[in-house]
Amino acid sequence: MTKTTPNLIIFDCDGVLVDSVMAHCEVLSANFAKYGLEISPIDCRDKLGAGKMSEIGNAAQKLGASLPDHWLDEIYYEIFTRLEQGVPLIDGIEDALKQIKAEQIKICVASNGSRKKMEIMLGASGLLSHFDEYIYSAHDVGVWKPDPGLFLHAAGQMREDVSECIVIEDSPTGALAAKRADMKCLGYAADTNANDLISHGATKFLSMREIPKLVGI
């Protein structure tokens, strides 16, 4: 019988495992207001992107924010404090993870966020135990999506060839990173412009309950 399932599924974190994107953007919006930039949480999401926090700060400054030298420490403290209050799971993700693990398919997380941030969110939501120690942060690796390096690092650490990997992403930045890594990407488009994901080669889907079928289970 021809094998149809991947050996490894690499999950993004924010917006894929936990519904944390708007909580994150609400903190940014409130913080920027203190420094002269009135921008809504939705505009934070759509205009500032999902890259390095330093790059988000630079983008905010171009829009008029006057950020202090200690801004990175401040914003990380505010974000972590908010996330410790808890964020909801993405609907259907826990059942999808259970079905994937039942098939003995490896899973890991690869995110532009810090490891501490991921551990806070996944710990509070109960998902951390699904991934054991297989959590990879751009902060530790030193490369941020859309650079493919984070996904390539994750595949290397999990000892899998890129041809045996599938990436689950919700952002164009992540979909582009997967494309550059020569990995198949499933693009979760429930809260994202599907065309932005498709333009980078992702296969659109709208519910986490679709994942098992999409990966060949």
Side-chain angles (χ1 to χ4, degrees), residues 3 5-7 155 160-166 181-184:
K3 177 180 176 294
T5 56
N7 288 348
E160 294 296 343
D161 187 84
V162 296
S163 64
E164 293 291 345
C165 300
I166 290 180
D182 290 324
M183 295 180 183
K184 180 179 179 181

Side-chain angles (χ1 to χ4, degrees), residues 59-93:
Q61 288 181 308
K62 290 179 181 179
L63 293 175
S66 298
L67 303 181
D69 292 339
H70 65 273
W71 181 76
L72 280 176
D73 290 336
E74 177 183 300
I75 195 62
Y76 278 126
Y77 174 78
E78 291 180 1
I79 288 172
F80 292 163
T81 299
R82 168 62 184 84
L83 295 178
E84 284 170 350
Q85 298 172 19
V87 290
L89 296 176
I90 296 295
D91 186 46
I93 189 61

Side-chain angles (χ1 to χ4, degrees), residues 14 20-21 23-29 31-32 44-45 48-62 65 67-80 83 111-114 117 121 137-139 143-145 173:
D14 296 275
S20 56
V21 174
H24 182 273
C25 290
E26 287 166 2
V27 173
L28 284 171
S29 175
N31 180 276
F32 290 144
C44 282
R45 180 193 67 190
L48 301 182
K52 295 171 68 174
M53 188 61 68
S54 60
E55 292 175 351
I56 290 173
N58 289 339
Q61 288 181 308
K62 290 179 181 179
L67 303 181
D69 292 339
H70 65 273
W71 181 76
L72 280 176
D73 290 336
E74 177 183 300
I75 195 62
Y76 278 126
Y77 174 78
E78 291 180 1
I79 288 172
F80 292 163
L83 295 178
S111 171
N112 275 349
S114 69
K117 176 184 171 185
M121 293 188 296
S137 166
H139 292 248
V143 287
W144 279 256
K145 308 170 197 177
T173 300

Side-chain angles (χ1 to χ4, degrees), residues 70-134:
H70 65 273
W71 181 76
L72 280 176
D73 290 336
E74 177 183 300
I75 195 62
Y76 278 126
Y77 174 78
E78 291 180 1
I79 288 172
F80 292 163
T81 299
R82 168 62 184 84
L83 295 178
E84 284 170 350
Q85 298 172 19
V87 290
L89 296 176
I90 296 295
D91 186 46
I93 189 61
E94 193 159 27
D95 286 342
L97 290 174
K98 289 177 180 177
Q99 290 183 61
I100 291 165
K101 293 182 74 176
E103 296 295 319
Q104 298 186 333
I105 298 171
K106 297 177 184 177
I107 59 174
C108 69
V109 184
S111 171
N112 275 349
S114 69
R115 185 179 183 91
K116 179 179 178 180
K117 176 184 171 185
M118 287 187 277
E119 289 177 341
I120 289 171
M121 293 188 296
L122 299 179
S125 66
L127 290 187
L128 189 60
S129 61
H130 284 287
F131 295 96
D132 300 318
E133 74 272 23
Y134 304 122

